[in-house]
Each structure stands twice: as structure tokens, then as C-alpha cells.
Amino acid sequence: MATLFKDVKYNLQGLINNIDMGTIGLPDIQRPFVWPDTKVRQLFDSLYKGYPVGYLLFWENANIDGIKSIGTGNKQKAAQLLIVDGQQRLTSLYAVIKGQEVIRENYTKTNIVIAFNPM
């Protein structure tokens, strides 16, 4: 029987770089970014404290129609991994770390603004 799922370990910098290049994208079925900025701040707080923040589920596929990029910048490559579960978390991390705009549920482009002071 063919393996349907495989466990892959990614580090945060690798994920951010792959989004930046365009090799991680969104399938057309994914909704826009809907998290309020306070929820993004809570995600960063949880990561800082070492709490589990859930898994990311990717769909490895190439050459399908309707792929969207994460963030609003131009990408150099076509997406080969599509985020199926964890889009809000992954988009939050990318947008804050890289200072990139997100496309909100009303389809406006905005930056996520948080105040996070671990001390």
C-alpha cells in the first residue's frame, strides 16, 4: 500500500524562506486571512513560552490551477507545497517576521500590528 502521509520536520526559518521563494502556497479553496492581530500576538506568546501550537498539514502537488501565494509580495517559484491546515498560523508567522502584508477577509491588504515584549 502506498504511503499517504509522511512526517517531515521543518524549522521556522526554512518555512519562511520557502514562503518567500513561493514554493509554499495556498490552494484556491483556502479563505483569506481572518485572525485578528491579538490572536497573532497570542501565537507568538505561546511559541515564546514553548507551548505546542499544532501541526501544519501540507499537500504536495505540482501544476494545479488556482494556487495563491502567502503574503502580497512577488514570488520566484511556483508552489509545490500547499498549506491545507495551519494557514492562519503560518501566514501570521510569515507576515510578522518578514513585515509582509496579508490579504484580509474583506480582501484589503494590511500589515499585522502587534506589541510583543517577552520581558
Side-chain angles (χ1 to χ4, degrees):
M1 180 186 264
T3 302
L4 295 177
F5 296 95
K6 62 182 175 181
D7 187 21
V8 179
K9 305 288 185 197
Y10 292 103
N11 64 39
L12 182 57
Q13 187 61 48
L15 289 169
I16 298 300
N17 289 342
N18 284 330
I19 294 169
D20 237 5
M21 292 295 293
T23 55
I24 294 177
L26 301 168
D28 193 34
I29 61 170
Q30 284 285 21
R31 64 185 177 171
F33 188 76
V34 297
W35 273 15
D37 292 357
T38 54
K39 186 143 178 135
V40 176
R41 185 197 67 231
Q42 291 168 346
L43 172 66
F44 274 84
D45 186 53
S46 293
L47 286 168
Y48 178 75
K49 291 176 179 174
Y51 298 155
V53 294
Y55 288 96
L56 302 173
L57 179 63
F58 293 101
W59 177 26
E60 188 173 11
N61 202 349
N63 301 322
I64 64 169
D65 294 328
I67 295 175
K68 300 181 286 189
S69 63
I70 297 174
T72 59
N74 293 330
K75 308 298 180 186
Q76 297 177 14
K77 295 185 177 185
Q80 296 175 353
L81 286 177
L82 304 179
I83 184 78
V84 177
D85 184 38
Q87 176 214 348
Q88 303 295 307
R89 286 173 282 146
L90 190 59
T91 301
S92 296
L93 293 169
Y94 176 72
V96 171
I97 291 170
K98 296 298 280 188
Q100 294 286 317
E101 293 177 316
V102 294
I103 300 173
R104 299 282 183 169
E105 64 184 322
N106 62 0
Y107 295 97
T108 60
K109 297 177 183 179
T110 62
N111 285 92
I112 297 171
V113 179
I114 62 170
F116 176 69
N117 184 354
M119 300 304 171

